[in-house]
Amino acid sequence: MFAGLPELGISNGEDLKETLTNCTEPLKAIDQFQTENGILLPTLQSALPFLDLHGTPRLEFHQSVFDELREKLMERVAIIAEGKEEDRYGKLEELLEKSFPLVKMPSIQPVVMQVLKHLPKVPEKKLKMVMADKELYKVCAVEVKRQIWQDNQALFGDEVSPLLKQYIVEKEAALFSSDLSILHNFFSPSPKMRRQGEVVLKLTQMIGKNVKLYDMVLQFLRTLFLRTRNVHYCTLRAELLMSLHDLDISEICSVDPCHKFTWCLDACIREKFVDAKRARELQGFLDGVKKGQEQVLGDLSMILCDPFACNTLVLSTVRNLQELLSQDALPRDSPDLMLLLRMLSLGQGAWDMIDSQVFKEPRLDLEVVTRFLPAMMSVVVDDHTFTVEQKLPSEEKSSLSYPTSLPDAFTRFLQENRVACEMGLYYVLHIAKQRNKNALQRLLPALVETHNDMAFGDIFLHLLTGHLTLLSDEFGSEEFCSVVFDGFLLTSFSSKENVHRHSLRMLLHLHHKVLPSYMETLMKTLEPPKQSSEPVKELYSQLTEKLEAHKKSPPPPDEAPTLDLGLHPVTVPTTASTPTTPL
């Protein structure tokens, strides 16, 4: 406990033991030991007997003086470090040399740690000693750990890895959240709110102003994205940069070539829309990538692959198409739309670009603009025509029934092109938000086969199940249930456990709206096999309990609350002047 004192010429317990073993008069020896090793202040000696009279043990007195001096010394270390003196770090290194032998003494350790914390460059020998001792490494300040980490990537990786795992777990938990709502979904938190998350704050603190550590974290994120294809690593890449931006860490922001692009995109994500001014700024950054610096496209593509960026770009695309429809204009004639598609294409190609290390913007298939978008717009026109037709007086109505088939170009591009597929999926969400049952019944079956099974990804299913709560009353119709379940969700639930989970999540909220006979069949179909994961089994048992409780006490019809109460004011009718609110 008192190791290191002899090195500094200070007596310890062993010295006292030796003195008492070899002396003839123990009381005199103790008295002498106290005088030599007590506080060397002549005026204090005459005052100490007063403490004895008050029954205050000498240990208590010395301990309180020691604590006070330690606090003063630690304050002084901070003042020296923050001062302007040229030799301030020399003084601290001198103090470190004197105090480091006592680093294992619990009472002195805080002083040593304070000195280490305030030295911008701790002597390498001392760093190695701290790193080699688990206890010391554990208690040293993050400022010291940064100096250790920057030359020990493996050790830094061990520290960062649990945080990255935690981040992914949190994102996936949000996608499978028990809340099912169009108002509070995965994309609801603002960028600034997301950056207050525990993992982002911890990583920001661990990096500090150290560019080398920041680069290491980015390398970890690229590697994990390549290994897992998990797009949440792209979100973290953008969040981390913007968290450092919030703290004005110019040492890092000024050297990250993606900083201004990410900052501008972050403002768009906050508004859930890319306006014309910001679109020009973003285009300027993309067009400004110089020859020889193409590698930056790898990072830009990762930032655009972030689901929050992608969500904003596709919502802006849908809004843009609505405006083009109202102006009778063609998609190919809109520079804003072409830029949005260019950024979507770059984001969707992030994995391929980082994997191949060929840093070149992917060429957007022009047929997406000349074939797919017109086909999608024709679906919108069909729907609009039918709606107008229904409002005509009966004598002017034609015998038009709602179209059930889709243009070949629309279904082909859903299957073959990622950018087209992303837009098609968001168009489905858009019509669900408008409570458009007919259009939904026409489109859902086409989503069974999509590019890379994108329609069965967690993000889309999370949003779709939330949007379907707006059509909760339609689940009383067997035709609608059949389209949603038999025609879409149940086509892949047995091979994709996430689809099974999302189906059960939705039924937990809507079971009382579903036709009872159909619900019975669904429960048999969705019963989890033995090899299913715990979350699926748990959801199924919750649903079974809810159904049992519902059978025992059916709610009186006049008081039955609908899930979409209070949501009606949110929808804005689609007209030329007021495009629908973002999803």
Side-chain angles (χ1 to χ4, degrees):
M1 187 177 172
F2 298 106
L5 285 174
E7 287 177 46
L8 300 174
I10 299 169
S11 303
N12 64 4
E14 287 300 314
D15 295 312
L16 178 59
K17 188 178 171 184
E18 197 177 319
T19 303
L20 291 172
T21 308
N22 299 327
C23 74
T24 49
E25 295 183 54
L27 290 175
K28 268 190 181 175
I30 289 170
D31 202 36
Q32 191 180 345
F33 188 89
Q34 281 181 324
T35 307
E36 286 171 4
N37 294 289
I39 298 168
L40 304 176
L41 194 65
T43 51
L44 181 65
Q45 294 309 313
S46 55
L48 285 175
F50 285 110
L51 291 175
D52 299 337
L53 290 171
H54 285 86
T56 304
R58 294 286 170 92
L59 172 64
E60 196 179 305
F61 165 71
H62 281 98
Q63 189 63 52
S64 68
V65 172
F66 178 85
D67 293 345
E68 189 68 29
L69 288 172
R70 183 178 58 199
E71 290 309 310
K72 290 267 184 263
L73 181 56
M74 286 170 73
E75 280 171 26
R76 185 80 190 117
V77 167
I79 290 165
I80 291 171
E82 287 157 16
K84 297 279 188 281
E85 292 175 43
E86 276 183 34
D87 66 335
R88 62 188 185 277
Y89 296 128
K91 284 180 183 175
L92 292 184
E93 279 182 27
E94 205 179 311
L95 181 57
L96 182 66
E97 280 303 321
K98 287 179 181 173
S99 60
F100 199 81
L102 305 177
V103 73
K104 292 290 227 174
M105 268 180 73
S107 51
I108 296 288
Q109 196 178 73
V111 176
V112 184
M113 291 303 163
Q114 177 82 331
V115 177
L116 288 169
K117 175 184 170 178
H118 284 94
L119 274 174
K121 192 156 179 25
V122 174
E124 200 167 330
K125 189 181 167 190
K126 301 282 188 290
L127 271 185
K128 282 181 177 168
M129 288 165 81
V130 171
M131 190 173 92
D133 188 308
K134 277 186 182 173
E135 288 304 310
L136 289 182
Y137 173 76
K138 197 174 169 183
V139 296
C140 73
V142 73
E143 289 85 351
V144 184
K145 284 179 179 166
R146 282 185 204 130
Q147 296 185 47
I148 293 172
W149 292 333
Q150 67 176 9
D151 297 315
N152 292 274
Q153 187 167 357
L155 182 61
F156 186 52
D158 291 344
E159 292 274 357
V160 167
S161 181
L163 289 172
L164 302 184
K165 280 181 191 155
Q166 182 189 335
Y167 184 84
I168 298 301
V169 167
E170 285 170 4
K171 287 284 178 214
E172 287 174 354
L175 288 171
F176 287 106
S177 151
S178 55
D179 288 337
L180 209 65
S181 160
I182 191 166
L183 292 179
H184 303 289
N185 62 36
F186 183 74
F187 293 112
S188 296
S190 70
K192 205 138 197 174
M193 193 191 295
R194 286 188 281 120
R195 296 198 283 274
Q196 300 312 305
E198 184 189 0
V199 172
V200 177
L201 290 177
K202 272 191 183 170
L203 284 173
T204 307
Q205 190 202 16
M206 286 165 84
I207 290 166
K209 297 179 179 182
N210 193 309
V211 177
K212 204 170 175 186
L213 294 181
Y214 177 66
D215 282 340
M216 277 189 215
V217 174
L218 295 194
Q219 194 49 51
F220 295 151
L221 292 175
R222 284 184 209 108
T223 307
L224 287 163
F225 175 51
L226 268 186
R227 197 180 298 161
T228 63
R229 289 182 182 258
N230 194 320
V231 289
H232 300 310
Y233 291 116
C234 301
T235 308
L236 185 53
R237 196 261 180 256
E239 282 179 356
L240 194 54
L241 173 54
M242 286 309 296
S243 176
L244 292 160
H245 165 92
D246 292 342
L247 295 169
D248 284 329
I249 311 286
S250 58
E251 292 85 346
I252 290 173
C253 294
S254 62
V255 295
D256 188 329
C258 302
H259 173 227
K260 285 183 178 169
F261 182 88
T262 311
W263 184 9
C264 183
L265 188 62
D266 186 73
C268 299
I269 293 169
R270 190 179 63 234
E271 307 294 333
K272 289 191 169 62
F273 181 62
V274 182
D275 61 41
K277 180 176 175 285
R278 290 196 181 112
R280 281 194 297 275
E281 277 184 60
L282 292 167
Q283 184 165 1
F285 295 128
L286 290 178
D287 293 343
V289 175
K290 295 184 178 71
K291 213 174 171 129
Q293 294 178 347
E294 292 91 351
Q295 206 165 339
V296 73
L297 285 171
D299 273 332
L300 288 176
S301 70
M302 247 185 112
I303 281 158
L304 287 166
C305 187
D306 161 20
F308 287 85
C310 196
N311 177 58
T312 302
L313 294 174
V314 192
L315 287 176
S316 302
T317 307
V318 171
R319 199 157 143 182
N320 207 295
L321 287 171
Q322 282 177 276
E323 284 170 14
L324 291 174
L325 262 179
S326 66
Q327 296 157 7
D328 291 339
L330 288 171
R332 70 191 83 171
D333 297 330
S334 166
D336 284 357
L337 180 66
M338 296 306 289
L339 172 70
L340 290 168
L341 295 178
R342 177 187 175 186
M343 290 195 288
L344 268 174
S345 185
L346 183 53
Q348 295 283 356
W351 191 90
D352 296 323
M353 191 186 290
I354 296 167
D355 181 50
S356 66
Q357 292 290 292
V358 176
F359 300 105
K360 195 176 170 191
E361 267 196 65
R363 201 183 267 291
L364 175 69
D365 183 351
L366 278 178
E367 286 206 330
V368 170
V369 184
T370 58
R371 302 284 305 280
F372 172 73
L373 286 179
M376 189 162 115
M377 288 166 98
S378 77
V379 174
V380 180
V381 171
D382 284 347
D383 184 65
H384 192 66
T385 310
F386 182 78
T387 310
V388 170
E389 175 82 14
Q390 296 309 301
K391 290 175 184 171
L392 293 173
S394 52
E395 64 272 9
E396 289 180 36
K397 278 187 187 175
S398 66
S399 56
L400 259 183
S401 60
Y402 196 87
T404 50
S405 61
L406 287 162
D408 288 344
F410 185 79
T411 45
R412 179 166 64 84
F413 274 91
L414 280 185
Q415 292 164 22
E416 294 173 8
N417 186 285
R418 329 184 228 223
V419 175
C421 185
E422 194 78 66
M423 284 190 287
L425 295 181
Y426 268 79
Y427 176 62
V428 170
L429 295 174
H430 177 70
I431 56 163
K433 187 172 184 179
Q434 292 180 319
R435 297 180 172 83
N436 189 334
K437 183 184 80 164
N438 288 328
L440 199 59
Q441 290 183 166
R442 180 186 184 189
L443 283 158
L444 270 182
L447 302 189
V448 173
E449 284 183 49
T450 50
H451 183 82
N452 278 349
D453 274 344
M454 282 165 73
F456 294 118
D458 288 330
I459 292 174
F460 176 69
L461 288 178
H462 167 90
L463 293 173
L464 179 68
T465 49
H467 281 61
L468 285 173
T469 57
L470 294 176
L471 291 135
S472 58
D473 290 333
E474 303 296 345
F475 282 88
S477 134
E478 188 162 349
E479 184 193 8
F480 187 72
C481 284
S482 182
V483 169
V484 174
F485 292 102
D486 301 331
F488 178 55
L489 292 171
L490 298 184
T491 59
S492 74
F493 86 101
S494 55
S495 59
K496 296 182 189 305
E497 192 173 85
N498 69 313
V499 181
H500 199 161
R501 275 179 82 176
H502 284 293
S503 304
L504 291 169
R505 272 178 70 240
M506 185 167 73
L507 286 170
L508 265 173
H509 282 262
L510 298 172
H511 64 88
H512 60 290
K513 295 284 188 180
V514 179
L515 203 65
S517 56
Y518 194 85
M519 190 69 208
E520 214 170 294
T521 314
L522 272 179
M523 288 304 283
K524 284 176 190 162
T525 312
L526 291 169
E527 187 171 353
K530 278 181 186 167
Q531 68 273 24
S532 291
S533 68
E534 278 312 307
V536 172
K537 289 177 182 170
E538 177 61 28
L539 279 169
Y540 187 79
S541 74
Q542 282 177 24
L543 182 55
T544 310
E545 283 168 27
K546 274 204 167 188
L547 285 169
E548 288 301 318
H550 188 66
K551 275 179 196 167
K552 285 175 190 168
S553 56
D558 57 327
E559 287 177 29
T562 57
L563 274 164
D564 55 349
L565 271 179
L567 295 183
H568 299 289
V570 174
T571 19
V572 177
T574 313
T575 66
S577 57
T578 54
T580 328
T581 49
L583 296 165

